[in-house]
Every structure is written in structure tokens, then in C-alpha cells.
Amino acid sequence: MPRSRPLRPVGRLPGQRGGRAVDAAACCCGRGAVRGVHAAALAGPGSPGECFPPAPPQPLRRSGRPFTRVCPSPGPVPRPVLPAGTARLSHSDPRGWDGHTGEEEEEEEEVEEEGWHQLYPSHIPTSPLQKALLAAGSAVMALYDPYRHDMVAVLGETTGCLALPNLRDKMKHHPEGYRILQERPCIRLSTLDMSRLRGLPDGSLGREYVRFLEDNKVSPDTRMPPKFVDDEELAYVIQRYREVHDLMHTLLGMPTNMLGEVVVKWFEAVQTGLPMCVLGAAFGPVRLSARKLQVLATELVPWAIRSGLNASCVLNVYYEQRWEQPVESLREEIGIFPPPAVRV
Amino acid sequence: VYQVFESVAKKYDVMNDSMTLGIHRVWKDILVHKMNPSPGTLLLDVAGGTGDIAFRFINYVRAVRERQLQRKLKHHQDLSWQEIFENYQEDKSDSLGDSQVVVCDINREMLKVGKQKAQHLGYSKGLSWVLGNAEELPFDDDMFDVYTIAFGIRNVTRIDLALEEAYRVLKPGGRFLCLEFSHVSNPLLSRLYDLYSFQVIPVLGEVIAGDWKSYQYLVESIRRFPPQEELKAMIEDTGFFKVDYENLNFGIVAIHSGFKL
């Protein structure tokens, strides 16, 4: 399968028009745009990763369900021949990616025997120690090399242990969010009808989204698929979160420069509670100039926080069915306040 | 395997340093010291992509050559200035003493990185870069004095073919040297080593090179590789004599050596 090329070349300097000028701590989208050394595609899907299939039909969960810890329990030291991924299917999934039933004991046995349990095509099972090392390493690397978007993505996946199930539950308890979890739409160049979106009236979500993609020369196909999330549904949730990131830019009216990314990060930190967003929001401003910092602190961040708190969960909106809706009306519906009149 | 190294080429050296905590440099130094090349040696370094062994060889030979020249000059204590000057002129242009290294690798990217490194470090003479497959070398019989393969034989599909090719291209009296990861017999160390290999190395691969899968493959290929005695037997079967191995770091790495007689 040919790799879809990202629209922007790696290494574009911040401040140049077009492309993402981001501090990796500020960019949450996890675009796998690193050339040359990333994704050898030995096995598994080619980038950008395949869409998750629709979830199998399952009864509606009661809200009183006990919270399931999905982080894998400490497993045995991996045997020399094959690494033992102690991935555990979440209880709410009756069937994993390859049709195994969700029995815990069976899972452990399978793991012992096969030593490799892949829940979705891009999944790499990891032990808790590996996750901890990955989280630490990716955090350092993301700060050290701002162009390593894949490190931001990895950081998000390895630290999202608690926030992702929360998000998923929020989605489950909302009718539209539930539908998204069932149907598992994904935003890709192949699934979007770009000409139709371009033909929509100005001010509609579809038109503004396409304008955003073209102005900033980005593409929805440069996302890194989730690798280290040990639960198939949560993997979809984080992928949805990454795909919706661009729509956040559109809804918040923020470009993809440093300042814009930091603002979106603040909004997302409040909305999702993902540690990666919080870190990005906290460390992103470090690379900004004093003037921008002032604008950020006095106007943009308070607005982003207020909007984030006021808005309903942004992952609960089925964007693919709302391309014709005007952006203002969607903002009102979600609860995002109009952006301040500041040049970002 | 080709794809693995394609993606790995640029970050190869950085990854080597971080995975082995820099110890790989010591291993390679030991290999070249063991080789003890004298000026005029023709070396074939197979799977030598980024040129580590080649550069060390050149440094070693230069140092030996310099010592030779110094010793020569010492004997000529009562020469006139004119004669000393002439001596210097001839010898300066011969710092390598006709030694040559041919670096052969199956992967173009690795060779590219190696050439860039050579330029960057200032190595110009005595190096050739050839694209070739260790199982089918593009060289004539009986050409080289020394054949080395450092951390490369593990990636060859048919080790016996590579060994036979090595035998073929070596001159009679030539030496075969192989530096490779091997079997750790000490049980405690073995467990620690496994833990480090499987837990830390893929993580390093992901963080530094953005490539988990290649380094997972690397660690697994090390486990699959035949242990010291078995490799020694294979080398003997090919026809080499005086085959021996030296364990470095308790067997994490081993240098196998054999002679074509």
C-alpha cells in the first residue's frame, strides 16, 4: 500500500507560512511526519493506519458499571524467545480485533502461549516497565526535538491510562458519542469528499475545515496510528481525539503556529484531561516570545479555559454528519465562546 | 532485513551508542587490535556500512606506519639535511603504506552514511565503498588479506554461504574475523541481559529512531543466532584453520577468528 505523503515537509522552520510550526509539546496531533527513520513498516499497516472497523453490536452499558482498569497488570519477565505482551482486553469488548473472546483467564493463557497479542493492526503490546520508559523517553525527546511529533503521540498513549477510559465513558453515556463508538468513523483523505466540502457555503464546518487544511498545508493523513494503547476501544478513542484535533483548530479559529497550538492545547487539556495535553499546555509557552506570551496569558488562555469548561465533550460530536452546519452554530451548540479578536 | 536497515541507516550510530552505552566502540577497537594489521594489508569489511571498522583500521595502520617511519629515520642519524628532506617527501605521501579497505554492504543507505562520515572525519585515501551481498561477493578469488564482518553476519540469511564466500575471496594465509553478539552462559547475567534487551532496547529504538519494530527484530535476531561453539564449528566446516573465539563481556559479544591456509 503506498504511503500517503504528508503535505508539509519535515523541518519547516517555525514562523514560515504554511505547515505546522510547533513545539512538539504544543502539538498534540501526533502526526507521523518524521521522514527516513520512522515506521519501517515491516509488518502492520502502512501509514496512516487503517480505520478501526465498527464495533461489534453490544448491549448498552448501565452507568453503574464499575470502572475497569485497562492498564495491564505487571506481567512476567518476558521470555527470551518472544516478548510477552500482557495486553488485556477491556471487559466491555466482547471480541478483540482477531476474534478472541474477552475472558481474562483465557487471555493470560493465550499470552503465555503466543507471547504476542495484537489487538489492532498497529498495536505493539508493551510491559509496564516499557511503558514507563517510553513515557519518560518520549517526554524528553519531545522537548529536545520539536519536530518529533511521533514522540508526542507516544507520550499521549503511554500516559493516557486514566484519562482515556474517562473519555470513553463520557462518549458512551452520550447518544451521539455512543454512535461514534459504534460506527467508528475516521477522518482520512480517502473518506472525505474534498470537492463536496469545498463546494459548501463559506462559514460552514466543511468549508472552513478544508480552508484550514489548505491554508496551513496539512493533511489528516499524517496521523500516527495508536501503538501502545492496550485496549482496542481506547485506541480508537485516542485516534478519534487526534483526528478531531484539526477540527478543534477550525472551531477555535486557531492557526497551526506555536501560539495557536498552545491555545488548542489548553482547551484540550481542560476538555480531555490527558496528561500529554496538560504537559503541552504547560511547556509549550516556553518557546514563545514575550509579546505572544502576554497575549496568551491575558486573553487566549482564559478564553480557552472558560470555553473548555463550558463546552460539552468535543468527542461527542459526530462531525462527519455536520459538515453543512455553520461554524458559529456548532460553537454555540457545543458551548465554545467566540474567539477573542486577537491576531494569532 | 533490507527495509530494517534502510530506515535504520541514518540513526545507526546514535542508536549503537545508546544501546550499548558506548561499549561497542571498545569492542571494535579490540577487533582491530586483534587483527594487528601491518601497512600494505588489504582489508575487506563486509556489512561494514557506516565504516566503523574501516576507520579504525586506517587509524591503526597509519599509527604503525608512522612508527615504522620514525624507526627508519632513527637509523639514518648521519644523513645530510638534503637527504632527510627527500626521505620525508617520499614517505609523507605514503602514510598508509598501500593499505586499503574495501567496505562492502548490501544496503545503499548505509554506504551513503558511511561515505558522508568518511568525508566528515577526513578519511580520503585507501577507502572504497562497494555495494554487494555477503552471500555472493562481487570480488575475485584470493584477493584480500583480511576479511571482517562486524555485527553483520547475524543478518545474513545463509551464514554458511557467507562463510564460503569469505573463504573464497581471502588469499591463502588470509584471516577471517567475525565480531558478533553471542550467547551469555552466566545465568544471572543472562537474565539481566534479556531484561535489558527486551525492555529497554525497543523503547530506545522508538524514542531515538522512531522505530520500535526494527529494534525488536534486532533483539530477537540476536537470540536466534548460533552460540559460540556452533559458529566455530560452522567456520571450521567451511575450511578455515585455527578457528578460535574470544568472549567479550562474558559472551555478550564474541570474536571468532580463522585462517585460510
Side-chain angles (χ1 to χ4, degrees):
Chain A
M1 180 192 324
R3 286 180 62 157
S4 33
R5 292 168 55 240
L7 293 184
R8 92 168 167 94
V10 178
R12 199 176 272 258
L13 295 173
Q16 265 186 333
R17 267 199 66 229
R20 279 180 192 269
V22 287
D23 177 1
C27 168
C28 69
C29 63
R31 292 191 191 286
V34 178
R35 282 279 184 219
V37 293
H38 175 66
L42 270 184
S47 128
E50 295 159 7
C51 292
F52 282 78
Q58 39 185 297
L60 190 57
R61 301 283 160 217
R62 299 284 152 250
S63 54
R65 179 172 197 80
F67 176 82
T68 315
R69 232 191 84 112
V70 289
C71 301
S73 55
V77 173
R79 281 187 301 202
V81 178
L82 292 168
T86 51
R88 211 204 295 178
L89 284 182
S90 115
H91 288 293
S92 61
D93 246 13
R95 291 174 48 186
W97 183 239
D98 41 324
H100 282 114
T101 54
E103 290 295 326
E104 273 256 308
E105 293 73 37
E106 225 178 270
E107 276 318 310
E108 303 281 291
E109 274 169 32
E110 309 260 9
V111 165
E112 285 301 313
E113 269 174 89
E114 296 171 4
W116 183 270
H117 196 79
Q118 231 188 1
L119 296 168
Y120 47 91
S122 53
H123 186 208
I124 299 176
T126 41
S127 68
L129 173 61
Q130 284 176 321
K131 284 207 177 57
L133 290 171
L134 271 174
S138 61
V140 169
M141 193 48 124
L143 285 173
Y144 175 74
D145 184 354
Y147 290 102
R148 292 292 303 272
H149 306 295
D150 57 329
M151 286 295 101
V152 182
V154 168
L155 182 61
E157 286 168 24
T158 47
T159 52
C161 237
L162 294 171
L164 282 177
N166 261 335
L167 269 179
R168 192 258 311 270
D169 288 342
K170 270 197 224 168
M171 286 175 81
K172 268 218 165 89
H173 299 324
H174 188 277
E176 212 171 331
Y178 184 77
R179 247 186 330 124
I180 296 175
L181 277 181
Q182 287 300 102
E183 292 169 30
R184 305 221 176 144
C186 62
I187 301 177
R188 299 255 187 286
L189 278 180
S190 48
T191 57
L192 292 177
D193 187 352
M194 296 297 277
S195 43
R196 180 180 85 93
L197 292 180
R198 233 175 258 127
L200 288 173
D202 278 347
S204 63
L205 181 65
R207 184 72 192 92
E208 294 309 310
Y209 178 61
V210 170
R211 181 170 293 141
F212 166 81
L213 290 180
E214 286 170 352
D215 279 352
N216 293 278
K217 297 192 180 48
V218 291
S219 149
D221 281 1
T222 54
R223 292 232 185 268
M224 235 193 55
K227 295 201 287 216
F228 303 113
V229 183
D230 288 335
D231 179 302
E232 198 219 358
E233 201 168 27
L234 295 183
Y236 174 72
V237 170
I238 207 172
Q239 189 178 298
R240 180 78 184 159
Y241 155 76
R242 286 180 194 158
E243 291 170 2
V244 159
H245 175 78
D246 279 338
L247 285 158
M248 285 303 99
H249 273 281
T250 316
L251 280 179
L252 294 173
M254 291 288 133
T256 57
N257 56 21
M258 194 81 70
L259 190 53
E261 290 285 352
V262 172
V263 175
V264 178
K265 256 301 181 303
W266 274 97
F267 179 79
E268 285 177 341
V270 172
Q271 275 271 313
T272 63
L274 280 168
M276 179 256 291
C277 294
V278 175
L279 285 174
F283 285 100
V286 162
R287 290 182 186 258
L288 290 174
S289 67
R291 183 183 63 81
K292 290 197 173 163
L293 265 176
Q294 201 200 16
V295 171
L296 185 72
T298 53
E299 297 202 39
L300 292 172
V301 165
W303 163 70
I305 297 180
R306 270 184 303 128
S307 292
L309 289 172
N310 186 49
S312 63
C313 181
V314 289
L315 288 181
N316 276 338
V317 180
Y318 208 134
Y319 296 99
E320 288 88 334
Q321 292 175 347
R322 290 166 182 263
W323 292 126
E324 292 89 6
Q325 187 174 4
V327 171
E328 270 97 32
S329 138
L330 190 55
R331 270 191 203 137
E332 255 188 71
E333 190 183 328
I334 298 179
I336 299 176
F337 298 123
V342 175
R343 204 177 75 88
V344 179
Chain B
V1 178
Y2 188 90
Q3 280 176 313
V4 169
F5 280 93
E6 209 176 346
S7 66
V8 155
K10 292 196 184 71
K11 294 257 171 139
Y12 186 72
D13 291 322
V14 178
M15 278 303 303
N16 273 345
D17 270 328
S18 55
M19 283 194 294
T20 61
L21 305 170
I23 304 179
H24 74 110
R25 298 166 191 242
V26 176
W27 291 333
K28 289 175 180 158
D29 284 336
I30 295 179
L31 178 71
V32 175
H33 272 82
K34 198 175 163 98
M35 192 199 307
N36 198 11
S38 45
T41 309
L42 186 53
L43 169 69
L44 173 65
D45 184 21
V46 176
T50 53
D52 278 341
I53 302 289
F55 301 147
R56 283 176 173 75
F57 172 83
I58 290 180
N59 287 342
Y60 196 97
V61 163
R62 268 205 201 128
V64 174
R65 184 81 182 130
E66 261 188 54
R67 257 179 278 140
Q68 268 183 352
L69 293 175
Q70 278 176 1
R71 257 182 277 140
K72 211 164 75 155
L73 280 176
K74 265 204 200 131
H75 291 305
H76 299 202
Q77 284 303 326
D78 47 352
L79 284 180
S80 70
W81 281 114
Q82 185 64 29
E83 286 167 302
I84 293 176
F85 180 71
E86 276 166 13
N87 266 332
Y88 260 116
Q89 290 293 79
E90 335 170 335
D91 295 335
K92 211 158 67 145
S93 60
D94 197 15
S95 63
L96 280 180
D98 283 334
S99 324
Q100 272 228 43
V101 189
V102 178
V103 181
C104 179
D105 202 287
I106 197 172
N107 190 302
R108 221 179 282 270
E109 300 299 314
M110 294 290 276
L111 285 176
K112 233 198 289 185
V113 174
K115 277 191 216 167
Q116 284 170 357
K117 240 173 84 176
Q119 229 178 11
H120 185 66
L121 295 170
Y123 294 98
S124 49
K125 282 200 313 181
L127 273 173
S128 318
W129 306 86
V130 176
L131 190 69
N133 184 346
E135 296 174 7
E136 211 180 311
L137 290 170
F139 305 111
D140 254 336
D141 302 0
D142 303 335
M143 275 193 66
F144 296 98
D145 297 307
V146 188
Y147 174 109
T148 54
I149 183 163
F151 299 118
I153 203 163
R154 184 182 76 246
N155 298 308
V156 168
T157 345
R158 298 273 314 269
I159 300 179
D160 49 343
L161 288 182
L163 291 175
E164 277 171 26
E165 280 294 283
Y167 192 84
R168 182 178 68 81
V169 300
L170 275 176
K171 285 190 201 152
R175 189 172 194 183
F176 168 86
L177 280 167
C178 164
L179 175 67
E180 193 51 78
F181 287 108
S182 206
H183 188 68
V184 179
S185 41
N186 180 328
L188 173 65
L189 206 59
S190 170
R191 278 191 59 202
L192 283 173
Y193 180 48
D194 282 347
L195 186 72
Y196 179 76
S197 298
F198 282 100
Q199 300 297 311
V200 179
I201 289 188
V203 172
L204 281 177
E206 177 70 27
V207 171
I208 298 179
D211 196 348
W212 176 284
K213 293 215 160 98
S214 299
Y215 290 90
Q216 182 77 45
Y217 165 77
L218 177 104
V219 175
E220 286 170 7
S221 73
I222 293 177
R223 292 295 172 294
R224 283 197 296 259
F225 191 69
Q228 287 88 328
E229 283 296 329
E230 210 179 302
L231 187 59
K232 176 174 169 194
M234 286 172 82
I235 300 175
E236 276 171 347
D237 284 342
T238 319
F240 288 100
F241 288 94
K242 268 279 287 115
V243 179
D244 202 12
Y245 63 86
E246 184 186 330
N247 271 346
L248 301 176
N249 286 118
F250 295 103
I252 295 181
V253 164
I255 301 181
H256 282 76
S257 156
F259 289 90
K260 172 176 176 176
L261 296 174

